[in-house]
Amino acid sequence: MTTVRRAVLTLPAAPLGPDNPLPALRTHDGTHAVDEQTLAELPRDMARGIGRAPLRSLLPAPVRDGYGRARTPTDLDAIVIENDRLRATVLPGLGGRVHSLHHKPTGRELLYRNPVFQPAAFALNGAWFSGGIEWNIGATGHTTLSCSPLHAAIVRAPDGGPMLRLWEWERLRDLPFQVDLWLPDGSDFLHAAVRVRNPHERPAPVYWWSNTAVPEDRRVIAPADSAWHHGYERGLRRVDFPVAEDGAEDGADRSYPLGADHAADWFYDLPDGQRRWIASLDADGTGLVQTSTDALRGRKLFVWGRERGGRRWQEWLTEPGTPGYSEIQAGLARTQLEHLELPGGGEFSWLEAYGPLTADPAAALGDDWDAARGEVESGLAAALPRAAVDAAYTAWREQAADAEPETVLAVGSGWGALEVLRGHYVLPGTPFPESTLGPEQEPWRALLDTGVLPVPEKGAAPGAPLVSAPWRDMLETAPADPSTEYHLGIAQWHAGDRAQAVRSWERGLREAAARWPLLHCLAVADREDGHPARAAERFAEAFADHADRAAEGEVVAAALGREAVVALLAAGRTGRARELWVRLPEEARKKGAFRLLEARLLLAEGRAGEARAVFDAGFEVADLREGAEILGEVWAECTDEPLPFAYEFRMRPS
């Protein structure tokens, strides 16, 4: 019989640390963007999906950059779903990640299971970790919920057995979603039914990709003979797959991740009517296959490549000396650069299945791509017929999707409860009870109940923002005080009304006791509007105002100081940058991000030798972003010598 139970997973883990206290008024640098020339050459519907509702900021999600790289044995809450064939281990406190999928009859681990928990800056808002199966909703990239808790409970599966439901309110697109995981009795396949709902009257852009990490020494097979290639140089082009004569890596078989030179995405161009699946098989022809109902249209292979940058990232995300991984992925659109439109009151739903596959290695791993595809497809048809997947989806949708939770196993955030209170939404199967409201939501509940946003306690940092149109409307009619003007400006900024946001922040500044939150926002606005000198002065003024108060702690001081020094250097104010540097908290200056900043400051002062010495002493920038090239750029200003491997994170072809 299938069981669902709580468990504890102990891993060497780096603590997440505090979130960045500054509002995320901007997105990151667009690692997954497409250049304008490429966009003009794409099919019209693909270009339309890529251009649909791009993020203006990461609001209201916080940036998560407080983690480090010191790992200690840590107990992580887990939920185990188990029958006599499979054992799935799920981490509800970390985005609902499926950490492990163990096949009992063969003793095989079907996934790449990371032996550590090491956050890195790959999520849209920062902290993310590699391994297992992750559920990505929101916008192009890894979800802001990568390292956040989800609600979790036991629900009845379509066959009457226990099912694990995970659900949350995704805040970038303001949408609730659920993932239902169950193991039919005696089945070799983990079933994952997903639903994304739009309770609003307006249409909403939707993004979903289920990402599965698998050992990279396997062949990846999908039912397509062409793919859309996307690399860190921001192009997107259709090529033959797995072998193409297209300039780079001519003749390379791209279905073998270890054969690729550079990190890249391969979005398979699956024909209409083709069953949706993707498989990862080892040298014996055994491994993992993922399949789904047709609504989950896209399939993708991500590889790190053999170049130094890709290998360094592999080490960075786990323990040196451990095997690497690639990712096989499935999404709603053809590529991860596209978003679909979900009408108001509508929903997207589908069923995925993950399980073992055994194929004849002579066929599955041979040079005949058609034979390899046929071998996997016939093996999948025998193990889990397409009709069985469709029937399981229908049974889930009709009998289980709306079933109410029976036993709560974990609790997520209170943001969904707040939205249900405001919008009076009825969401069968995914309750967001008032009991989940916490301190972050209380000021907003007060605004909802009284029309007044409470003033933060003296010395406290501003609370978490809300930015959707209904909350913006309430802020516009609330009594004007500096705290309300601060939050109103953030909501206006998110809506694209930057001029009005600046006016709100300037009004709040006139009477504010603590000026630094408003000064920081105005500094970001100046920088975005092309006024680097004024931005630098305002960043510095914000830091000074906070330092004079010193009540909000070193986390705020470090965040403000880091932005201020960067802005002052960009504006050529090297002397001011040095003056501010010496006022930074001592503990902050010891961290890798600030050691890099120190090297940049030394270079600006003409002290290249001392900047080189910072590199020689060694440092690690824990929150280095995916695709970042800053380490190589600063090193090149210090010396003509090759960049040491420890600092090699460049992903683009040289």
Side-chain angles (χ1 to χ4, degrees), residues 51-259:
R52 179 173 285 123
L55 292 179
R56 296 191 182 99
S57 73
L58 296 176
L59 295 166
V63 171
R64 313 202 71 181
D65 59 2
Y67 52 87
R69 293 189 55 79
R71 298 188 287 268
T72 57
T74 304
D75 290 342
L76 303 175
D77 290 335
I79 299 172
V80 175
I81 312 167
E82 189 168 13
N83 66 4
D84 62 341
R85 311 290 295 176
L86 282 177
R87 181 172 60 249
T89 303
V90 181
L91 304 177
L94 296 171
R97 183 78 58 98
V98 180
H99 172 74
S100 169
L101 190 59
H102 177 79
H103 187 232
K104 294 181 178 181
T106 61
R108 289 178 176 267
E109 173 59 49
L110 301 180
L111 309 176
Y112 166 78
R113 183 176 56 190
N114 197 332
V116 305
F117 171 68
Q118 176 56 63
F122 279 67
L124 286 164
N125 63 334
W128 171 88
F129 64 107
S130 65
I133 306 171
E134 57 177 304
W135 318 109
N136 290 297
I137 180 174
T140 300
H142 296 281
T143 176
T144 61
L145 296 168
S146 291
C147 292
S148 295
L150 304 188
H151 300 279
I154 295 175
V155 183
R156 287 298 107 188
D159 61 4
M163 177 171 72
L164 173 63
R165 173 161 299 159
L166 305 164
W167 74 99
E168 240 312 350
W169 197 282
E170 199 285 315
R171 301 180 68 205
L172 289 185
R173 301 304 193 183
D174 206 19
L175 301 175
F177 71 96
Q178 71 189 75
V179 179
D180 287 354
L181 301 171
W182 79 97
L183 288 169
D185 192 23
S187 175
D188 278 324
F189 284 82
L190 175 67
H191 288 43
V194 183
R195 175 164 63 172
V196 180
R197 287 188 274 199
N198 180 6
H200 312 293
E201 295 180 356
R202 54 172 172 77
V206 171
Y207 168 95
W208 183 282
W209 281 79
S210 304
N211 294 6
T212 305
V214 293
E216 66 178 347
D217 60 351
R218 299 183 178 184
R219 189 183 203 187
V220 175
I221 304 171
D225 55 17
S226 63
W228 292 90
H229 170 263
H230 179 255
Y232 285 79
E233 64 272 33
R234 302 185 181 184
L236 185 65
R237 56 195 173 92
R238 191 174 183 271
V239 298
D240 293 336
F241 194 93
V243 178
E245 306 295 332
D246 63 347
E249 302 177 18
D250 279 351
D253 188 334
R254 296 176 172 90
S255 65
Y256 289 94
L258 284 172

Side-chain angles (χ1 to χ4, degrees), residues 281-362:
L281 305 180
D282 64 17
D284 296 328
T286 62
L288 173 77
V289 65
Q290 186 270 1
T291 188
S292 71
T293 49
D294 290 349
L296 202 64
R297 176 184 184 181
R299 293 298 185 276
K300 170 193 159 182
L301 166 64
F302 167 74
V303 300
W304 282 105
R306 296 176 299 194
E307 293 292 325
R308 283 163 37 104
R311 304 331 295 171
R312 183 67 179 107
W313 274 116
Q314 290 266 33
E315 282 191 359
W316 188 253
L317 297 171
T318 183
E319 293 279 14
T322 57
Y325 75 96
S326 58
E327 288 184 353
I328 58 174
Q329 306 181 12
L332 284 173
R334 281 166 299 184
T335 74
Q336 286 178 321
L337 309 178
E338 301 166 76
H339 295 69
L340 304 185
E341 183 175 283
L342 180 57
E347 68 174 54
F348 290 141
S349 62
W350 63 91
L351 177 74
E352 306 178 44
Y354 298 81
L357 185 77
T358 299
D360 177 6

Side-chain angles (χ1 to χ4, degrees), residues 413-544:
S413 77
W415 295 113
L418 185 67
E419 292 301 331
V420 168
L421 277 176
R422 185 199 58 75
H424 305 288
Y425 301 124
V426 178
L427 300 167
T430 54
F432 294 95
E434 289 188 41
S435 60
T436 61
L437 292 170
E440 285 189 311
Q441 292 84 41
E442 284 305 325
W444 297 101
R445 182 175 187 175
L447 175 64
L448 183 64
D449 292 342
T450 68
V452 179
L453 186 69
V455 177
E457 294 183 10
K458 185 176 181 180
L466 281 175
V467 295
S468 66
W471 293 106
R472 186 174 71 249
D473 291 344
M474 282 185 267
L475 288 167
E476 287 176 345
T477 57
D481 59 52
S483 176
T484 302
E485 296 285 13
Y486 166 81
H487 283 287
L488 175 58
I490 290 175
Q492 291 164 334
W493 180 273
H494 174 266
D497 192 351
R498 294 190 172 187
Q500 190 58 54
V502 168
R503 285 193 284 271
S504 295
W505 292 327
E506 288 176 339
R507 283 197 305 269
L509 195 61
R510 295 175 193 147
E511 299 181 7
R515 295 164 52 84
W516 65 264
L518 294 150
L519 286 167
H520 170 263
C521 291
L522 289 167
V524 172
D526 284 336
R527 182 166 56 192
E528 295 296 295
D529 289 341
H531 304 295
R534 191 167 68 196
E537 290 303 317
R538 275 180 161 161
F539 277 124
E541 189 179 353
F543 176 82

